[in-house]
Amino acid sequence: MSSTQSITVTPAGLTIGEETLPLYSGSVHYWRHERAHWARVLDAVRRMGFRFIQTYIPWSAHEIEAGAFDFGEADPRKDVAAFLEACADAGLYVLARPGPHINSEIPYFGFPPRVLNDPAIQMRTARGTPAVLPLPGTPFAAPSYACEAFYQETGVYFDALCPIIAPYVYPHGPIVAVQADNEMSLFFRLKCYDVDYHPESIALYRRWLEEKYRDVDALKDAYRRPDIHSFGDVTPPRAFEARTHADLPYYIDWAEYQEYYVQYGIVRTRQMLEERGLAGIPYYHNYPVSTPNTPFRPVALEAELDIAGVDAYPLPSEYAALKRGVVYISTVSRLPFIPEFGSGSWSYYRSPTADEERFTTRTVFMHGLRAINYYMLADRDRWTGTPVRRDGSTRPDYVTLYEDWNRLLAGVRWDQLRPERDVLVLAPRLYERLAYTAIEASFPNQFLTDIYYRLPADLFASENPLDLRDAIQHRAPAWLHAFEAALPVSGVPYALGDSDLPEHALAQYKLIVVPTFEWADADLLGKLERYAHNGGAVICGPRWPRFDVHGEPLAAWGTAPEPPTGSLARLDFAPGAGPHGLWAEDVDLWDAVAPGGAGRLEAGTEPPEVPFARRVPYGDGSITLVAAAFPRLGAIEDGTPAAYARWVPWLKTLVAEAGIAPRWECSNASLDVAILSGGGRRVVCVANPRRNVQVGAVTVPGVSAWRDLDAPGGEGASPGDTLHVTLEPWSVKIWEVES
């Protein structure tokens, strides 16, 4: 929901009164600085080119004892009203983050210990035990966001805080947006059968089921459970025990409920803050991850809040994951925003250097980000690597990074630029939920290993195909990745969304790429069929959908391709490449390939034939089945885009049939390219996400000159449509181009 008061969220930033400002911000925590240093710290932030700051207002820092608070009366650093006045004096707008959860690397994540020690409030595991977050330093039992006693305690804190800060809401003061809670993610215990089994959460789950099914007989039919006589008879699953796809609705509902639970806590927090005077300004939230995985639903959340943002603390080696997350949020959000982007890092993790931060910062803007908050801009306890010290003095390398970058953003009017994309890669939420539910093992501190060791997402997922042809929980991500990796190598940029996107959002793309299997989401297929009838092109696969979640034959997609004439267990795209090659698995064919133990397929002509694809006309458009499964992520020894380039000739044929021409050609598949345009300008970005120097030639049809935005004053231009580039390891270069 977009605010209709004096501040509105736009695709370019925040419109405050008559002025629209790009939302470029940084975090400063007032209670962690001596009050005498506030003005100097804020002045340093302003001199780097920022107009916004973000600050937490921590419950545990202000509560002296139950119901008693210090807002500067005892400790001058805690005078939040005086800090807001200092921000106004410095010409800075404020994004306020009152919690109740703030994390911020402080003990108990900003909750008073007495609240977390109340057994009635503690979130529960599947075994009924308190859900302990095993943090380095201070483990604690997390609270349940379904528990009314928790909201009553939170209300006492909000009752004390809101009368102090509400007078500083714009236009009377500098507060221009409020965050509703923080990183709502079941406290990072993101395994399907881990938490929250609190009695009040189970009651909320049953109410949600009743709202979804309305009638208990409908639920009984969906679960094939004749023993169910009321919604109160249903208990949530505590392990994945499905044997066939007919068992899945029960598990899929638990995943969908967890999505609802997360959003319920966020919206409830917003309502409590608005009721206490923080109204008439935008609200936002920061998910801790940026892709469409359950239990996060950014599209649905933006129906309730103004912005659903995502956090990122990347190192340069995580380029692919960072790109994917930003491409996703730039597709689905009205204002693509990272409310916490690593500027420095928490003390038990590695802080990036200024050069590394320059690379990751350029990466996110290159791929469609338009709003950012750097966390942190000023030093504090349990944090390293910021541009501003506690006393307001600065670190030149980091300060120069932000000064130069903010100057470039302003000079080129980056807030007006949009990525040029004709293709939408669509992740069906049904398959995301299946991957989330089909988990066979987890352990309480797995979130720590996910942070430090980056375990593969499907490591603990069941391999049971559930009497289907494919284990969808493994093959859907692999099929998506094959397109996401190869499309940019083909010179075809893509957007990334999920099935929550409304039909009008789908209509802006010429081509939609979506994984489909025999078992599929009927509502999504209906959207895609209407999209095709209206002239859109769809590429799906590896299977043609046959029946819906409940096993009923699909009414949509009744026109199917002719049956294949053959099949192969494995189809090599690069014969003789061994473990470094790329192959397809369990392939259906409509034309012959060379005989042998495995198929041999080479692009001998342009365009090559694609024997594993079949096109079906639908109204004014078409649906093309690509009947080839791709190997699981990690199965290919070289999993970089350069490896997936081996099937690019066939992908180019499929894309060309949809009427899409490449926007660029790049001679080096290790380089990544993005083109953005808007406001009468066009920008080309080239990234080197590798550890060694990369060279190549980039050709953009129709371009007549390239102006290096990193050159002093932007002097000089390279003529023609081709630019020869040399990029240092982990670097991004940017050119403004003329046509």
Side-chain angles (χ1 to χ4, degrees):
M1 55 178 292
S2 185
S3 297
T4 58
Q5 275 76 3
S6 55
I7 303 173
T8 56
V9 175
T10 78
L14 297 185
T15 298
I16 304 172
E18 301 298 321
E19 183 180 23
T20 297
L21 292 174
L23 183 53
Y24 308 145
S25 172
S27 292
V28 176
H29 294 166
Y30 60 94
W31 80 98
R32 283 169 151 156
H33 295 265
E34 294 301 322
R35 184 166 171 169
H37 295 153
W38 285 351
R40 193 177 178 196
V41 169
L42 295 174
D43 180 62
V45 170
R46 190 73 172 86
R47 282 188 283 108
M48 284 188 287
F50 292 100
R51 294 290 305 276
F52 298 87
I53 71 155
Q54 185 191 82
T55 190
Y56 281 125
I57 306 174
W59 184 356
S60 62
H62 289 286
E63 182 177 282
I64 301 170
E65 58 186 52
F69 299 88
D70 174 13
F71 287 105
E73 296 85 358
D75 185 344
R77 295 174 302 172
K78 298 180 182 180
D79 191 339
V80 62
F83 180 73
L84 293 171
E85 291 171 358
C87 292
D89 291 342
L92 290 164
Y93 293 113
V94 175
L95 313 178
R97 308 175 75 185
H101 165 214
I102 69 163
N103 190 336
S104 193
E105 294 71 48
I106 62 177
Y108 311 106
F109 280 15
F111 296 105
R114 63 171 188 84
V115 173
L116 301 181
N117 291 335
D118 184 346
I121 287 176
Q122 293 167 349
M123 187 163 64
R124 297 286 160 167
T125 70
R127 296 184 177 183
T129 58
V132 174
L133 191 62
L135 282 170
T138 313
F140 64 86
S144 170
Y145 273 73
C147 176
E148 285 303 313
F150 169 73
Y151 290 107
Q152 289 169 10
E153 290 281 10
T154 300
V156 173
Y157 165 54
F158 285 172
D159 285 341
L161 171 66
C162 290
I164 294 172
I165 64 173
Y168 294 94
V169 169
Y170 183 87
H172 308 292
I175 297 177
V176 293
V178 177
Q179 181 172 295
D181 208 71
N182 176 68
E183 293 185 332
M184 182 73 76
S185 59
L186 300 164
F187 291 88
F188 309 111
R189 296 188 58 152
L190 292 171
K191 298 303 172 189
C192 187
Y193 312 106
D194 188 8
V195 296
D196 183 353
Y197 294 85
H198 188 286
E200 289 179 71
S201 176
I202 293 175
L204 184 65
Y205 163 67
R206 288 166 175 161
R207 292 198 299 273
W208 174 82
L209 284 175
E210 187 169 6
E211 183 177 333
K212 177 177 180 176
Y213 287 97
R214 304 292 182 184
D215 185 86
V216 72
D217 288 335
L219 177 69
K220 185 185 305 186
D221 292 342
Y223 290 1
R224 303 189 182 187
R225 289 275 308 276
D227 58 314
I228 294 176
H229 302 292
S230 72
F231 289 98
D233 292 337
V234 183
T235 58
R238 285 171 165 78
F240 186 68
E241 297 174 329
R243 294 293 174 263
T244 75
H245 68 273
D247 300 327
L248 288 176
Y250 171 55
Y251 299 93
I252 298 296
D253 276 351
W254 179 240
E256 189 177 353
Y257 163 71
Q258 290 192 16
E259 295 170 351
Y260 170 80
Y261 174 100
V262 166
Q263 186 157 318
Y264 172 86
I266 297 168
V267 174
R268 182 84 180 263
T269 302
R270 175 198 177 139
Q271 291 169 343
M272 293 177 68
L273 290 165
E274 286 189 316
E275 289 166 358
R276 291 163 173 81
L278 299 185
I281 53 176
Y283 273 76
Y284 68 97
H285 184 74
N286 60 323
Y287 287 125
V289 297
S290 50
T291 48
N293 301 328
T294 293
F296 310 118
R297 293 187 74 177
V299 176
L301 185 59
E302 284 201 357
E304 301 285 352
L305 267 62
D306 298 271
I307 311 171
V310 297
D311 292 347
Y313 288 92
L315 295 173
S317 57
E318 297 164 335
Y319 175 86
L322 180 61
K323 171 186 174 179
R324 188 173 197 267
V326 174
V327 171
Y328 171 73
I329 203 66
S330 70
T331 300
V332 304
S333 177
R334 60 173 58 93
L335 176 61
F337 181 31
I338 296 183
E340 291 184 23
F341 185 79
S343 171
S345 186
W346 55 94
S347 55
Y348 45 91
Y349 197 53
R350 183 173 82 78
S351 286
T353 65
D355 285 341
E356 289 173 333
E357 286 188 14
R358 182 176 291 106
F359 171 65
T360 55
T361 297
R362 290 182 170 218
T363 294
V364 294
F365 279 92
M366 166 183 175
H367 292 298
L369 193 76
R370 292 196 295 280
I372 194 167
N373 177 77
Y374 297 98
Y375 190 100
M376 302 283 298
L377 283 187
D379 271 354
R380 62 170 177 80
D381 54 310
R382 306 180 185 89
W383 202 264
T384 60
T386 67
V388 183
R389 296 186 177 92
R390 288 180 188 235
D391 63 357
S393 62
T394 58
R395 297 182 174 93
D397 286 352
Y398 290 96
V399 168
T400 300
L401 160 66
Y402 294 111
E403 286 177 339
D404 290 349
W405 183 242
N406 284 336
R407 190 179 301 115
L408 187 151
L409 292 176
V412 80
R413 288 304 308 272
W414 204 285
D415 56 299
Q416 301 297 316
L417 300 177
R418 305 291 182 270
E420 296 182 0
R421 298 167 177 165
D422 296 320
V423 177
L424 172 64
V425 176
L426 197 63
R429 185 153 290 275
L430 175 64
Y431 299 154
E432 296 288 344
R433 289 171 182 154
L434 174 58
Y436 183 70
T437 60
I439 189 84
E440 290 190 324
S442 64
F443 40 95
N445 63 342
Q446 189 165 321
F447 83 101
L448 290 177
T449 57
D450 288 347
I451 289 174
Y452 290 106
Y453 301 106
R454 308 299 186 194
L455 297 178
D458 64 352
L459 182 62
F460 300 102
S462 168
E463 297 189 12
N464 185 349
L466 302 168
D467 76 354
L468 299 169
R469 180 173 172 179
D470 304 275
I472 298 172
Q473 58 271 26
H474 292 287
R475 282 196 162 164
W479 199 90
L480 277 169
H481 181 72
F483 282 86
E484 291 178 42
L487 278 167
V489 180
S490 306
V492 178
Y494 66 90
L496 175 64
D498 64 58
S499 47
D500 281 342
L501 283 172
E503 292 190 45
H504 67 81
L506 307 184
Q508 64 183 291
Y509 301 99
K510 295 179 180 179
L511 169 65
I512 295 177
V513 175
V514 58
T516 55
F517 296 85
E518 301 163 281
W519 181 78
D521 178 352
D523 290 339
L524 172 59
L525 296 179
K527 285 184 190 178
L528 294 172
E529 189 175 54
R530 290 186 292 275
Y531 165 85
H533 272 291
N534 290 330
V538 175
I539 292 177
C540 70
R543 312 296 170 220
W544 194 263
R546 304 288 182 187
F547 46 87
D548 68 12
V549 177
H550 303 294
E552 299 297 326
L554 289 166
W557 292 42
T559 303
E562 61 192 74
T565 56
S567 63
L568 283 172
R570 176 178 169 125
L571 184 63
D572 286 316
F573 290 101
H580 298 283
L582 177 70
W583 66 92
E585 301 172 340
D586 197 5
V587 181
D588 291 334
L589 298 169
W590 283 268
D591 298 297
V593 295
R600 295 291 183 258
L601 190 61
E602 296 188 64
T605 60
E606 285 292 339
E609 295 182 357
V610 188
F612 47 88
R614 240 346 167 232
R615 184 174 181 271
V616 179
Y618 265 78
D620 294 329
S622 64
I623 299 176
T624 298
L625 173 65
V626 177
F630 287 88
R632 288 170 56 172
L633 307 182
I636 303 171
E637 188 168 315
D638 176 10
T640 65
Y644 283 85
R646 299 184 189 281
W647 85 285
V648 160
W650 297 275
L651 178 58
K652 281 186 173 180
T653 297
L654 296 169
V655 170
E657 287 179 350
I660 296 172
R663 290 187 179 268
W664 65 77
E665 291 184 9
C666 182
S667 64
N668 184 345
S670 293
L671 296 175
D672 199 16
V673 180
I675 303 178
L676 304 95
S677 57
R681 313 184 89 141
R682 198 174 189 213
V683 166
V684 178
C685 305
V686 183
N688 174 16
R690 307 299 290 267
R691 296 174 181 270
N692 46 18
V693 173
Q694 297 290 325
V695 298
V698 179
T699 301
V700 180
V703 166
S704 59
W706 305 66
R707 183 169 65 90
D708 185 351
L709 293 182
D710 289 309
E715 297 97 348
S718 300
D721 64 357
T722 299
L723 187 72
H724 295 274
V725 299
T726 300
L727 268 74
E728 295 299 313
W730 288 331
S731 63
V732 176
K733 290 284 291 178
I734 307 171
W735 293 267
E736 185 171 6
V737 296
E738 299 176 4
S739 300

